[in-house]
Amino acid sequence: MPRDVLQPRLLLLLLSVFGASHACLQDPASAYRFTGAVCRLTYPAAVVLNEKTTKVIEAAFQHARYPSVKGEKSLLFIGRVIYGLENLEIHNLSIGRSEFELRPGEGIGMEISNVSAVFRGTIQYGYGSWLVNVAQSIDFEIESQIDLGINPKLYCGEGKVAADTSDCYLNFHKLRLHLQGDKEPNWLKKLFTDFITFTVKLVIKGQICQEINKVANILADFIQDTAENFLTDGAISVNIGVTAAPVITANYIESYHKGLTNYNNTAAVINDSVFHPSQLTENRMLYFWLSDQVVNPMLAAAHHDGRFHLNISGAELTELLKTNLSNTMPEFIRKCMLESPELRVWSSAVPHLNTSTLGTTIWAKASGELHCGSTPTLVFETDVAVDVTASYADKKLFLQGKASEISVIQADLPAPNQPQLDETHLEFIREAVEKIGIPHVLSALEIELTRLLDKQGTNLFDILNPEVLPRDGFVIIQMDFGFPHHLLVEFLKKTLQ
């Protein structure tokens, strides 16, 4: 049923954190009115994410490409020494513990303690005036024990949220260079290795900090690309670009997104959003604020793209019409059930959604055709208003709906020699839409949207006690979660390519 039911990626916005943007306002308060979606990640959630930090840091160390180093130095008793370090590789990497803090208005402070690693490579050297032109090559090994400090800052750069990790430092508790595995070098080798050690420190620090910055921005791009894929389907996409740089407080990180639907090169516009940070609390790990101004353009795009279609036929339709209704089934419908019946329903006007503290109401105009064999027996059009609530549990989406308004605005029997429809026929259609049609459409949407969520990997998250809270003009989705291991694996694969 992939084309029979709307396939919007509404709820997949749950997974998006950062996105592309053409421009960012410097003052977040000025950006609120252009904001369609907000993500708030609280301190407990950051603790969970920090548990995965060591894996990312490991990737940065292992993925770093250390350049060849060449130089010369005059040493007492030896004279001029020419040296070169090549083929530097890392082995036996282990990381102790990772700690962090959120620094209001500044960034994130991270301390990675007790990073142990062995660097191996080849050293070429010559020393003494009579050896200046003679190159010797031997293997070397460097034992190291390092504490790493990083103070990332998030900013708007090149149309997206980017990470600046230039505030990066390494403290070396141990850095010993051994030639040819010689753990007890003579005084000449020791003199030689001591002066090279300082150069090696600079090389390692420069490359590690450079690689961490690279990995941090690969991560930002990875999240952006993942989010954009979640929210793209055919000709429909959503620009989740940020309207301002993320805000960091001692208790949360908050990012602000446009949430503009694009369809056939036409983009929605939001310039009067009602968002304010006071609408969100800090009790749960993760919050998403989603404006009606994001959802309604998505519904419109889905309507114009022909996404609101549902066909029901054969035994399924026959079974549905066994539902106990207070109105008697018309004879022409009863006869139709014996002739390969098929009911085709679709959205015949752009649906509209409105959220309030009482819930979310969707107004729609739905048309239908009942076919008996190849002949349309009944054609009808209805106006419907449905109050809908959504929930997510056991890795499934649940939709509950209750019709607040239903009216049959048109109904015809197009085949010749058919009786005229009277008030009892119209009342049967109205009741069937209320008690059969609406529940079945919501059930079909539950299945389809759950399938789409699973396709994008939502079921791989440990989403704990999610709540969907309707408010005036927006909805808040709040939850606790466990970080999905598969996303970390995918990111590390991308990083190490």
Side-chain angles (χ1 to χ4, degrees), residues 104-145:
E106 294 183 18
I108 306 167
M110 300 179 63
E111 297 286 343
I112 313 297
S113 302
N114 195 21
V115 180
S116 297
V118 174
F119 296 87
R120 292 174 183 161
T122 303
I123 188 167
Q124 295 180 347
Y125 69 97
Y127 57 85
S129 59
W130 59 280
L131 282 176
V132 155
N133 296 317
V134 177
Q136 301 185 55
S137 179
I138 59 175
D139 295 333
F140 70 88
E141 181 177 283
I142 302 173
E143 294 179 276
S144 68
Q145 191 170 31

Side-chain angles (χ1 to χ4, degrees), residues 92-401:
N92 304 328
L93 176 68
S94 67
I95 292 181
R97 58 191 176 89
S98 172
E99 297 180 347
F100 80 99
E101 63 175 333
L102 301 180
R103 296 175 176 172
E106 294 183 18
I108 306 167
M110 300 179 63
E111 297 286 343
I112 313 297
S113 302
N114 195 21
V115 180
S116 297
V118 174
F119 296 87
R120 292 174 183 161
T122 303
I123 188 167
Q124 295 180 347
Y125 69 97
Y127 57 85
S129 59
W130 59 280
L131 282 176
V132 155
N133 296 317
V134 177
Q136 301 185 55
S137 179
I138 59 175
D139 295 333
F140 70 88
E141 181 177 283
I142 302 173
E143 294 179 276
S144 68
Q145 191 170 31
I146 306 167
D147 287 344
L148 171 65
I150 319 167
N151 299 304
K153 291 180 173 57
L154 302 179
Y155 67 97
C156 286
E158 297 182 0
K160 63 181 181 182
V161 170
D164 176 9
T165 63
S166 58
D167 188 0
C168 169
Y169 60 90
L170 278 70
N171 290 328
F172 292 86
H173 297 293
K174 177 168 60 174
L175 189 70
R176 296 174 183 165
L177 184 148
H178 306 289
L179 301 177
Q180 293 180 319
D182 188 353
K183 305 296 183 181
E184 296 295 334
N186 59 35
W187 71 271
L188 185 60
K189 284 185 178 180
K190 189 174 186 307
L191 189 63
F192 177 67
T193 56
D194 284 348
F195 94 83
I196 289 183
T197 298
F198 178 76
T199 302
V200 171
K201 280 185 180 182
L202 296 179
V203 171
I204 293 176
K205 178 187 183 300
Q207 289 304 116
I208 291 297
C209 289
Q210 179 179 321
E211 190 64 27
I212 286 173
N213 194 66
K214 177 182 175 183
V215 168
N217 282 286
I218 290 176
L219 178 58
D221 290 340
F222 174 78
I223 295 173
Q224 170 186 304
D225 293 342
T226 302
E228 288 178 349
N229 290 335
F230 286 153
L231 295 167
T232 300
D233 188 44
I236 303 174
S237 63
V238 180
N239 177 357
I240 54 171
V242 291
T243 57
V247 166
I248 298 178
T249 74
N251 298 322
Y252 61 80
I253 303 173
E254 189 166 83
S255 56
Y256 312 102
H257 307 270
K258 293 180 178 180
L260 304 179
T261 297
N262 293 297
Y263 177 68
N264 285 346
N265 297 320
T266 301
V269 175
I270 296 176
N271 53 25
D272 56 351
S273 174
V274 297
F275 173 75
H276 190 275
S278 62
Q279 295 161 350
L280 300 177
T281 65
E282 302 170 13
N283 303 319
R284 305 296 299 274
M285 292 173 67
L286 188 61
Y287 293 81
F288 293 98
W289 184 98
L290 186 64
S291 171
D292 288 357
Q293 294 172 300
V294 173
V295 181
N296 276 313
M298 294 183 71
L299 293 177
H303 167 79
H304 292 305
D305 205 47
R307 303 297 186 92
F308 288 116
H309 284 264
L310 177 62
N311 295 344
I312 313 169
S313 60
E316 181 184 14
L317 178 57
T318 302
E319 189 64 27
L320 284 173
L321 286 174
K322 290 180 181 180
T323 302
N324 187 25
L325 302 178
S326 60
N327 290 278
T328 303
M329 181 184 295
E331 185 62 25
F332 67 86
I333 294 181
R334 193 180 306 278
K335 289 181 179 179
C336 183
M337 292 301 100
L338 305 174
E339 303 177 28
S340 302
E342 181 182 36
L343 178 63
R344 304 171 186 173
V345 294
W346 64 93
S347 168
S348 50
V350 174
H352 180 74
L353 172 147
N354 181 69
T355 303
S356 72
T357 54
L358 300 177
T360 297
T361 301
I362 299 176
W363 287 271
K365 190 182 294 292
S367 295
E369 288 183 355
L370 177 64
H371 288 249
C372 305
S374 59
T375 306
T377 298
L378 171 66
V379 178
F380 63 92
E381 186 174 53
T382 62
D383 276 338
V384 178
V386 183
D387 298 327
V388 179
T389 58
S391 59
Y392 187 83
D394 299 324
K395 302 188 183 299
K396 294 181 181 179
L397 175 69
F398 296 93
L399 300 174
Q400 294 79 39

